[in-house]
Amino acid sequence: MAKLTIDLTILTINEEVEPAVFILHPDAQRLEFSLEPRWIRHMHKPHDFSFGPVSTPLPVFWLMLDGERTIQIEDECHVIRKGDLIVFPPGLPYQLLSAEAGSPVRYLSLSCTVRLGPFDFHELYPFPKLTAVFDEAIFHRLADHWMESVRLFDQFVALYEHDASDGSPSSLAVSLALLRVQGALQQWFAHLMALLGPQLPEQPPDIDPRIIKACTYLQEHVHEPLTLEKLAAHVYLSPSHFSYLFRRALGQPPAQYVRSYRIRLAKELLLQTSWPVGEISQRVGYGELSEFSRAFRHASGLSPQAYRQQWRHTNI
């Protein structure tokens, strides 16, 4: 069976960047591209502001506007200043170190899901952690789109919270506000990819379409028991051959991928909902809360409750 190759093409017309197009060859099939915001903020912080270490299941993007600080991602320290674009990878601990003196810092912060079909974008195209934007025109264009996204996101949140306070279903105005945010994010991401594209892998990954189908299935049925035999049968392969193709495509065995996806989804639900931990445990496929708590602590070093509480007191 032919493989699907994912190519990333950035189209430019009259120096204006159009949204990214993700094409699958050799057929006319495509992976659906989606962007969903978690937060979009314009941050002003004093010189002694610090946080962390923290980690998030989603990538976090910063664009430094003013000031100079030191960040740490895992064991690597970086001095960041105006014009630096920082990407905090999902799942890795990072922190902003305190400074005894200095000027306030101002930066733009954004976190969102970026997905290609069943895959997170960073699984296929890992982002560089630090990029210096030396070109003033590119910097201001990216910052302007980012600021517009902040404005639209704040409008959306205000409308959503107004409807929620009334106890009424979300209005058409809320849906339209979210569409405007998503449209602005598409433009922001196109500018981001025009900037980062040269640093991304030259060779796009080859993914067998049966593996894409299996990943889609396991995400749609994550609340159910998912064995190797069940996943292999869904795409009409023997367990051994399916496991071989899966490991070759994604670099890990199916069981590890399922465990990682369940914990990543649990982290997203802990941050984005107020559901009880027991309900989240059921939704991500753990029959017993104690089993879920052990798996979560093993993966993140924190209990589910502590992970949620940590982020409620972190504003980055």
Side-chain angles (χ1 to χ4, degrees):
M1 181 178 292
K3 293 180 181 178
L4 300 180
T5 300
I6 303 172
D7 285 336
L8 171 61
T9 305
I10 301 293
L11 304 178
T12 57
I13 301 176
N14 297 327
E15 299 183 350
E16 287 297 322
V17 182
E18 297 294 327
V21 178
F22 299 91
I23 305 172
L24 294 177
H25 299 289
D27 305 315
Q29 302 177 65
R30 294 170 180 264
L31 285 181
E32 180 183 355
F33 172 68
S34 63
L35 276 168
E36 293 291 340
R38 165 65 179 157
W39 73 70
I40 313 174
R41 299 169 179 155
H42 184 191
M43 307 296 287
H44 301 255
K45 294 295 183 180
H47 73 273
D48 58 350
F49 170 71
S50 64
F51 66 81
V54 296
S55 66
T56 172
L58 307 178
V60 176
F61 303 86
W62 281 13
L63 181 65
M64 288 290 290
L65 301 178
D66 287 302
E68 180 178 304
R69 295 298 297 275
T70 300
I71 59 170
Q72 182 173 337
I73 303 176
E74 287 193 297
D75 297 326
E76 300 177 0
C77 288
H78 307 273
V79 176
I80 56 174
R81 52 182 63 88
K82 179 180 178 179
D84 284 344
L85 173 67
I86 305 99
V87 182
F88 299 104
L92 296 185
Y94 61 93
Q95 59 184 315
L96 179 69
L97 304 181
S98 60
E100 294 182 359
S103 59
V105 291
R106 190 165 64 92
Y107 59 93
L108 296 167
S109 174
L110 186 151
S111 182
C112 62
T113 59
V114 189
R115 296 184 66 80
L116 291 175
F119 305 112
D120 290 330
F121 188 91
H122 62 267
E123 291 181 290
L124 306 178
Y125 293 93
F127 291 111
K129 295 176 184 175
L130 182 63
T131 302
V133 186
F134 295 111
D135 188 303
E136 284 288 326
I138 293 176
F139 170 77
H140 287 295
R141 190 156 55 237
L142 180 61
D144 288 346
H145 274 279
W146 210 317
M147 289 294 291
E148 177 65 5
S149 298
V150 171
R151 184 184 69 82
L152 293 172
F153 187 74
D154 287 346
Q155 289 180 356
F156 161 71
V157 171
L159 287 169
Y160 178 83
E161 290 180 344
H162 177 269
D163 282 7
S165 67
D166 293 341
S168 57
S170 294
S171 63
L172 177 60
V174 172
S175 298
L176 292 176
L178 180 57
L179 283 175
R180 285 191 288 270
V181 172
Q182 291 171 332
L185 273 180
Q186 293 272 354
Q187 290 296 315
W188 166 82
F189 191 74
H191 283 285
L192 184 77
M193 294 308 300
L195 176 64
L196 298 182
Q199 302 180 65
L200 298 180
E202 292 184 4
Q203 295 297 323
D206 289 339
I207 302 179
D208 189 298
R210 293 167 293 187
I211 301 304
I212 296 175
K213 183 178 179 181
C215 288
T216 301
Y217 175 82
L218 77 85
Q219 292 181 16
E220 292 174 348
H221 297 264
V222 67
H223 57 285
E224 302 174 3
L226 292 170
T227 63
L228 173 62
E229 291 74 17
K230 186 174 185 178
L231 293 174
H234 182 69
V235 291
Y236 307 104
L237 292 172
S238 69
S240 59
H241 190 49
F242 173 75
S243 184
Y244 166 75
L245 292 177
F246 197 100
R247 185 188 291 267
R248 188 175 68 176
L250 299 178
Q252 56 186 306
Q256 181 180 337
Y257 186 91
V258 171
R259 287 194 299 269
S260 297
Y261 179 74
R262 282 177 164 153
I263 296 301
R264 187 168 74 246
L265 178 59
K267 288 180 177 180
E268 292 183 24
L269 294 176
L270 285 166
L271 299 185
Q272 297 176 10
T273 74
S274 57
W275 294 342
V277 172
E279 181 175 349
I280 292 175
S281 171
Q282 296 286 333
R283 286 177 178 265
V284 299
Y286 286 91
E288 298 293 335
L289 178 57
S290 58
E291 180 189 5
F292 169 65
S293 296
R294 283 195 301 271
F296 193 95
R297 184 183 291 275
H298 177 76
S300 66
L302 295 170
S303 69
Q305 296 90 338
Y307 183 84
R308 171 179 272 170
Q309 195 69 16
Q310 176 191 67
W311 274 97
R312 284 181 174 172
H313 293 90
T314 302
N315 185 17
I316 59 174

